[in-house]
Amino acid sequence: MNPGGGLDATVEVTRGDFRLRADVGIPPGGVLAVLGPNGSGKSTLLECIAGLRHPHGGSVTLGDRTLTDVARGVHIPPHRRGIGVLGQAPLLFPHCTAQDNVAFGPRARGAGRAAARKVAREWMERLAVAELAARKPHQLSGGQAQRVALARTLADEPGLVLLDEPLAALDADAGPAMRAVLGRVLRDGDAARCGLLVTHDPLDALTLADSVIVLSDGAVVERGATREVLAAPRTPFTARIAGLNLVTGRAVAGGLRTVDGAVLSAASCDGVPVGSPAVAVFPPGNVAVHPGHPAQGRGAGNHSNSGSAVVESLEPHGSVVRVRIGVPHDSPEHAWVAGLTADVAPAAVAELGLEPGHPVEVAVPADAVGVHEAFTGRS
Amino acid sequence: MAGTGNAAGAAGAGSIRAGRSDGTTVAVGVPRLLRIPAALALALVALPIVGLLLRTEFTRLPELLSSQASLHALRLSLITASLSTLACIVLGVPLAVVLAGTAGNLGALLRTVVLLPLVLPPVVGGLALLYLFGVNGFLGYLLDVVAGARVPFTTAAVVLAQTFVAMPFLVISLEGSLRAREENYERVAATLGARPWTVFTRVTCPLLLPALVSGTVLCFARALGEFGATITFAGSLQGVTRTLPLEVYAQSESDIDSAIALSLLLIVIAVVVIGIARPRSLRGRS
């Protein structure tokens, strides 16, 4: 029922000390991922777009329809926006069967019982939940319920689907299956429908979205094509969710000088002008950790970027142990290693006797390091 | 201190109580000291009913209950309590919805007013109704002059009195679950294209059904047992305003056996009502 078209939204919300000011654009048929730490304003942004919250300023247009325009006093209520929402919890109406849930949207918009049921059947078949039609929500598993909820959202044929961490509450088995289903409907879907996905997981962003914005403290701090942003993060938050280490400083020839004066050599410098703010990025798997002897350690520092510090914590991370490096005690020029993560094989952790508080030598080979221009404010 | 004493005693004697082995979870024990007042409280509630049962002449029960006066009272009670329950639903549900949506001082004030009949002695309520609807009351005067209708001492007065005292039970029960609910379902329904009225009828109301059922049953029970406000505002006219509780009161002065038989009937109805209402209200909370 919706004419479709892209989303163009600028939203301003002030709440106490918190200020959200974000602009997002999604082309018709596109999917945008919104990444950001808790409290960065992602859900507030979504609510403003869905019409569930009145922003203090800004506007929202979908295709050629103006849905919100604070300056002109326009606020189309949520039920007339044609924007579907799917959150962490499926929120299926507990008193309706799965099929009646899916048929709710068409019914609410005035479709007859039979017509609504037909639409519901089609969507349930597309999402492979047709056999659950007669079940009540409490008889569904988490993954099944979330699929039915997705069918319900799509059966309403929204011009824009807002997905607010739709996989976050699913278990390890249901998550990937649901991600595949989402990928299918977002990709093979209607060119008129665009999507906005809030997530913590870089994999969701990579597999489901074409572009990404990163929100931090209510502002957009990064934006671009998903692959590019995640491969070359410019803010510590993006680096962390991309699972990469990030060191800030200024570009020098063949590397980066940290704020503490250490120089990291890098294999690729991405054409960053010398002297401009830059970040060095490298994966935890390329960071080597050895039991440290500060006296020897300093000598080895020049070839492969290295520094001595202490182990802050150890935690299992898939098949490896992720070692977090703490602040060096006695060598301020090595401050850049604080907060780095290194992935070490469990056997090596045992062999080296790594434990929190132990002094270690951290080394990063230059060919694992990429230097990129740092994010400097506006994008 | 008693606790450590017990623990030490049990451990010292090596007397570990035979544990269950049925997979149930272990509950933190209830202090034994509480059992004494608890037993007294239970006795206070249960023993009078036992006393009534002991005094009942069960063989004469059918005869006593089928007397003209008893049947009139029973019929009148069922009709008036049903009507007042209906009035409570029709007026109380919207009131609960409006109250739940009213925040701040106004909400607190309105809630106090709604609760008033719950804490007021029913006789006072009856008197208040009398001075509103009586010939000297402003609404009563108006009704008399405009429509020639007099409310006090009619069956309508019984229904009014019952509605007055029973309304808070429904409103409070509903408003509580309205305020406790997450509005997420309603928000989802709105994004699916449902107008506010559709959201109310197709999502809010079905979700409130358990609270509505238990509230309605409580409301009916309260209306059925109404005495003070009824006798003050509607009097005790057989077949017109003399409901079961009033009949019990009237009979207790002349025919005590009959009064006891009617009391027993009210107890049976009360037990049935609790049986219907209790599981529902538990389900509503879970």
Side-chain angles (χ1 to χ4, degrees):
Chain A
M1 65 154 284
N2 292 291
L7 172 79
D8 203 348
T10 309
V11 166
E12 279 183 55
V13 176
T14 313
R15 226 172 27 224
D17 288 345
F18 179 75
R19 183 150 184 267
L20 169 71
R21 195 178 189 295
D23 53 323
V24 294
I26 310 175
V31 179
L32 173 76
V34 178
L35 299 166
N38 289 331
S40 61
K42 296 172 304 207
S43 294
T44 306
L45 173 65
L46 241 65
E47 285 174 343
C48 290
I49 295 173
L52 295 167
R53 182 186 286 278
H54 291 279
H56 291 109
S59 64
V60 177
T61 53
L62 183 60
D64 52 7
R65 292 176 70 208
T66 299
L67 303 177
T68 299
D69 189 339
V70 175
R72 283 170 40 215
V74 177
H75 181 89
I76 305 287
H79 65 272
R80 288 201 274 120
R81 293 200 167 210
I83 294 180
V85 180
L86 178 66
Q88 263 188 45
L91 291 175
L92 295 174
F93 305 127
H95 54 283
C96 300
T97 61
Q99 179 170 303
D100 289 345
N101 265 284
V102 181
F104 186 93
R107 285 285 284 156
R109 294 196 194 274
R113 204 175 290 267
R117 192 176 300 154
K118 187 164 165 284
V119 173
R121 284 248 175 79
E122 282 168 15
W123 276 103
M124 294 186 83
E125 268 160 32
R126 278 189 69 176
L127 298 191
V129 285
E131 74 280 6
L132 307 173
R135 297 225 195 142
K136 285 288 185 75
H138 69 89
Q139 297 168 314
L140 301 175
S141 72
Q144 290 171 336
Q146 195 66 332
R147 279 190 196 208
V148 173
L150 178 63
R152 177 175 68 176
T153 306
L154 296 174
D156 193 38
E157 295 183 17
L160 167 67
V161 198
L162 302 175
L163 303 158
D164 192 355
E165 304 201 37
L167 310 175
L170 299 180
D171 61 36
D173 292 330
M178 182 73 189
R179 184 182 294 115
V181 169
L182 269 176
R184 215 172 65 225
V185 296
L186 290 176
R187 298 265 149 249
D188 313 345
D190 191 342
R193 183 179 59 230
C194 50
L196 191 155
L197 169 75
V198 167
T199 181
H200 269 108
D201 188 343
L203 187 58
D204 293 347
L206 280 168
T207 53
L208 302 174
D210 347 280
S211 57
V212 59
I213 61 168
V214 179
L215 270 186
S216 177
D217 278 334
V220 178
V221 294
E222 281 195 75
R223 72 171 80 224
T226 312
R227 245 159 250 285
E228 288 165 23
V229 169
L230 289 178
R234 286 140 200 255
T235 63
F237 170 77
T238 319
R240 199 168 70 241
I241 61 157
L244 296 170
N245 285 306
L246 179 137
V247 176
T248 55
R250 281 184 185 275
V252 293
L256 168 130
R257 182 186 297 278
T258 70
V259 285
D260 305 301
V263 174
L264 299 186
S265 46
S268 82
C269 283
D270 204 15
V272 185
V274 168
S276 63
V279 291
V281 177
F282 46 92
N286 287 72
V287 179
V289 176
H290 306 288
H293 303 287
Q296 301 170 1
R298 268 176 211 149
N302 289 335
H303 290 295
S304 73
N305 316 302
S306 70
S308 51
V310 292
V311 173
E312 183 173 282
S313 64
L314 299 164
E315 60 188 76
H317 186 84
S319 61
V320 297
V321 175
R322 182 153 283 185
V323 179
R324 187 168 289 276
I325 309 301
V327 183
H329 292 309
D330 51 350
S331 40
E333 73 274 23
H334 291 167
W336 64 275
V337 301
L340 294 187
T341 53
D343 286 347
V344 181
V349 171
E351 199 178 308
L352 300 173
L354 293 181
E355 269 180 49
H358 274 201
V360 283
E361 181 75 12
V362 180
V364 188
D367 55 6
V369 180
V371 171
H372 310 280
E373 192 155 8
F375 180 80
T376 47
R378 295 290 313 157
S379 64
Chain B
M1 275 193 304
T4 49
N6 278 345
S15 64
I16 296 160
R17 256 188 272 161
R20 291 193 195 183
S21 49
D22 54 359
T24 52
T25 54
V26 176
V28 175
V30 175
R32 284 184 197 177
L33 199 61
L34 295 186
R35 291 182 190 179
I36 299 163
L40 282 175
L42 196 63
L44 188 65
V45 175
L47 286 183
I49 294 173
V50 174
L52 202 65
L53 286 172
L54 289 176
R55 177 64 182 73
T56 309
E57 292 185 55
F58 286 96
T59 48
R60 284 187 63 209
L61 214 51
E63 170 206 336
L64 290 170
L65 287 179
S66 60
S67 78
Q68 189 71 9
S70 302
L71 288 177
H72 268 147
L74 178 62
R75 185 167 163 272
L76 184 68
S77 264
L78 290 178
I79 291 173
T80 53
S82 303
L83 284 176
S84 57
T85 304
L86 194 68
C88 285
I89 294 172
V90 171
L91 303 174
V93 174
L95 177 58
V97 173
V98 170
L99 267 187
T102 311
N105 290 336
L106 180 64
L109 180 71
L110 291 179
R111 234 160 267 133
T112 311
V113 173
V114 172
L115 272 174
L116 216 51
L118 204 65
V119 287
L120 219 56
V123 182
V124 177
L127 214 57
L129 283 168
L130 197 58
Y131 284 101
L132 176 64
F133 289 103
V135 277
N136 296 325
F138 67 89
L139 205 56
Y141 178 78
L142 208 65
L143 279 172
D144 197 6
V145 170
V146 176
R150 291 194 180 187
V151 178
F153 311 107
T154 62
T155 307
V158 178
V159 176
L160 266 176
Q162 289 175 347
T163 308
F164 176 82
V165 296
M167 181 86 82
F169 286 85
L170 186 84
V171 174
I172 294 307
S173 151
L174 270 187
E175 203 230 342
S177 52
L178 269 167
R179 275 150 63 91
R181 85 195 193 281
E182 300 260 349
E183 277 184 59
N184 294 341
Y185 288 113
E186 277 102 331
R187 288 158 71 97
V188 165
T191 63
L192 290 169
R195 288 172 300 136
W197 182 254
T198 312
V199 175
F200 179 69
T201 55
R202 300 217 24 223
V203 178
T204 312
C205 283
L207 290 177
L208 278 184
L209 200 60
L212 183 63
V213 169
S214 64
T216 303
V217 173
L218 281 174
C219 196
F220 181 78
R222 182 66 189 89
L224 201 64
E226 210 321 286
F227 177 82
T230 311
I231 204 161
T232 321
F233 180 45
S236 180
L237 310 167
Q238 190 186 328
V240 181
T241 68
R242 192 183 292 172
T243 56
L244 269 181
L246 270 65
E247 182 68 26
V248 170
Y249 182 72
Q251 295 288 356
S252 69
E253 311 234 296
S254 53
D255 178 3
I256 194 68
D257 289 333
S258 189
I260 289 170
L262 287 172
S263 302
L264 206 63
L265 183 63
L266 278 169
I267 290 172
V268 170
I269 295 174
V271 169
V272 169
V273 161
I274 293 169
I276 297 172
R278 215 176 124 258
R280 298 277 176 146
S281 66
L282 286 180
R283 227 177 293 157
R285 237 163 276 153
S286 67

